[in-house]
Amino acid sequence: TDIDLRGGHQAANIDLSYGLYMNYDINERVGIDINAEYGSMSGGFEMQYYNATVMLISAGVNLSMFRSKESKAWPYFRLSAGMGNFNSERKFLHDEQVFSETSGSCFQNGVGLGYAFKIGHDFGLRLGTEFIINYTDAWDGYDNDQCTDILLISGLKFTYTLPGKNAQYQRFTPPVK
């Protein structure tokens, strides 16, 4: 890519999104999820920057590390695949003039790391970061035929875990003494 991964070129100097995240634990080590996010992104390089409105929809597999039935917090590894929609414009820093606009949809896949925290029976928090490959070069407002653009997304998610036959892994139960 020809743009940085830092972002923060919005008026508030932070890129924000909101969405829905649902997880189903198959067992105490493996879970599957669905994630949908809508928000703004930005990035810059030397004399130019881009702003984009984006929507990301993905399904993922979460591999929990060091997790047991009694765990209230644990690290996890995420693999994901999905689709992204974008509407981007690229501008010069010195005069704020738009010199390229792009929009479309693309396939994405990602790999991430994070830390999960249980809050009560079905709710929790996930703090993590994910490296995502977009299979289009137009995501950042300019298509220079490189076939991909990369993203680094970090965030805090409030989560809901769907109940099921493996609820003993989803719910924190204090150990019996």
Side-chain angles (χ1 to χ4, degrees), residues 90-155:
R90 182 84 71 104
K91 296 179 180 182
F92 287 115
L93 286 171
H94 69 278
D95 62 7
E96 297 292 316
Q97 293 297 313
V98 174
F99 70 89
S100 179
E101 293 180 281
T102 58
S103 63
S105 299
C106 67
F107 178 73
Q108 303 172 316
N109 62 357
V111 59
L113 291 171
Y115 219 84
F117 304 89
K118 291 302 286 177
I119 302 172
H121 291 289
D122 299 319
F123 296 95
L125 293 172
R126 285 188 180 247
L127 179 63
T129 190
E130 187 168 5
F131 178 82
I132 297 174
I133 299 174
N134 293 304
Y135 292 96
T136 179
D137 188 43
W139 187 273
D140 60 6
Y142 187 75
D143 190 349
N144 54 6
D145 296 324
Q146 299 215 356
C147 300
T148 61
D149 269 334
I150 57 176
L151 303 176
L152 185 61
I153 297 178
S154 300

Side-chain angles (χ1 to χ4, degrees), residues 45-64:
F45 181 71
E46 293 180 358
M47 300 180 304
Q48 53 187 300
Y49 70 98
Y50 82 96
N51 286 323
T53 302
V54 300
M55 185 162 90
L56 310 167
I57 299 173
S58 66
V61 174
N62 295 290
L63 305 172
S64 299

Side-chain angles (χ1 to χ4, degrees), residues 28-29 63-69 71 73-76 115:
E28 68 186 47
R29 299 273 187 229
L63 305 172
S64 299
M65 298 175 269
F66 316 113
R67 183 179 179 192
S68 68
K69 292 179 187 177
S71 298
W74 59 91
Y76 68 90
Y115 219 84

Side-chain angles (χ1 to χ4, degrees), residues 2-21:
D2 54 345
I3 294 288
D4 72 22
L5 295 175
R6 291 178 305 224
H9 290 272
Q10 303 285 344
N13 205 28
I14 189 168
D15 299 330
L16 296 173
S17 69
Y18 58 91
L20 177 66
Y21 176 89

